[in-house]
Amino acid sequence: MDAEVPRPIGRPLPRVIAIANQKGGVGKTTTTINVGAALAELGLRTLVVDLDPQGNASTGLGIENRGLETSMYHVLMHDVPLENCIEPTDVRRLFVAPASLDLAGAEIELVPAFSRETRLKHAIAAVIDDYDYVLIDCPPTLGLLTVNGLAAAHEVLVPIQTEYYALEGLGQLLRNVDLVKRNLNPTLDVSTIVCVMYDARTKLSDQVVHEVREHFGDKVLRSVVPRSVRLSEAPSFGQPITTFDPRSRGAVAYRDVAKEVHDGAA
């Protein structure tokens, strides 16, 4: 009898996942917020680290990011401990380390800074034992903030919109992940690709999903996230879709995404 093929070993908790795609408007922050909320709903302590100066992950979780005493800017630039800037959200077990507009200047201020690429990594190391998941919402650029996110992460999750030019720029992201892997973070890899903004009425959406699956195989989640008005409305109410409209298609889809992400855990 043939020996049983061993199942791939899942990733041990805690997991640090950078959510990255340098194309803007691809649902990166929406994915970060809603996967975070769905993981918290599963009973997992989850921290969202907002590295995007626009601060959309912070406001999308109900944190007013103007006039914050401490934010990710202070963590990266002034060595303030990460735990000092973490805020609870209205979702049980979901926390956020908010961004502020000051973070825009950090791209330039980090250039001469000592150990500039690994500041976030050291900050996360001090709190990692308190969480099952840390999700890093990277800005849609490939500057030093994103490099910090990639250097701190164990893996990368890439949301891809199922529209024309979906794969544009992805090669550049993969090259950058590879550069960070070779120079700063040898265990980093793109573990997960999720197709978002899926429109079942168009042939194009199906073609893009097919193309992405052909290209990336098992890394692509079975769950796809539909284009949804409710999903785009939720952030303006400072809520993830799982609380804003828990029975909506978007909420169901992101719960499925979170389960698939977590099923890859040991």
Side-chain angles (χ1 to χ4, degrees), residues 28-30 33 48 50-63 65 96 99 137 235-236 238:
K28 185 175 51 59
T29 300
T30 303
I33 289 171
V48 168
D50 191 352
L51 268 198
D52 191 336
Q54 292 175 64
N56 292 339
S58 308
T59 54
L61 287 169
I63 305 298
N65 61 355
V96 61
D137 188 31
S236 57

Side-chain angles (χ1 to χ4, degrees), residues 108-211:
I108 295 153
E109 290 177 57
L110 275 167
V111 172
F114 178 69
S115 66
R116 60 190 182 185
E117 297 96 347
T118 53
R119 292 185 157 229
L120 180 62
K121 183 176 188 166
H122 297 310
I124 288 174
V127 302
I128 191 66
D129 291 342
D130 295 334
Y131 298 96
D132 299 302
Y133 282 88
V134 176
L135 305 181
I136 305 167
D137 188 31
C138 297
T141 57
L142 291 165
L144 275 168
L145 288 173
T146 298
V147 169
N148 261 273
L150 295 175
H154 304 147
E155 51 189 295
V156 185
L157 182 154
V158 184
I160 294 183
Q161 66 187 125
T162 55
E163 293 182 356
Y164 202 56
Y165 296 138
L167 299 177
E168 188 188 61
L170 198 59
Q172 186 63 48
L173 174 67
L174 297 176
R175 280 192 291 278
N176 281 281
V177 168
D178 197 49
L179 264 175
V180 170
K181 182 173 179 155
R182 276 182 303 177
N183 294 292
L184 294 166
N185 186 358
T187 57
L188 184 68
D189 73 331
V190 174
S191 65
T192 312
I193 291 173
V194 56
C195 295
V196 300
M197 300 184 184
Y198 177 81
D199 187 343
R201 297 167 304 178
T202 68
K203 232 182 191 168
L204 180 62
S205 273
D206 274 337
Q207 285 169 348
V208 172
V209 171
H210 178 72
E211 197 177 333

Side-chain angles (χ1 to χ4, degrees), residues 14-78:
R15 289 168 72 184
V16 182
I17 305 175
I19 289 88
N21 189 332
Q22 75 268 29
K23 259 184 80 141
V26 297
K28 185 175 51 59
T29 300
T30 303
T31 296
T32 308
I33 289 171
N34 292 309
V35 169
L39 286 168
E41 221 180 52
L42 289 171
L44 299 149
R45 279 178 66 88
T46 303
L47 171 65
V48 168
V49 173
D50 191 352
L51 268 198
D52 191 336
Q54 292 175 64
N56 292 339
S58 308
T59 54
L61 287 169
I63 305 298
E64 180 50 64
N65 61 355
R66 290 180 188 280
L68 285 170
E69 269 185 45
T70 52
S71 69
M72 285 309 300
Y73 171 79
H74 303 93
V75 172
L76 291 174
M77 297 313 310
H78 300 300

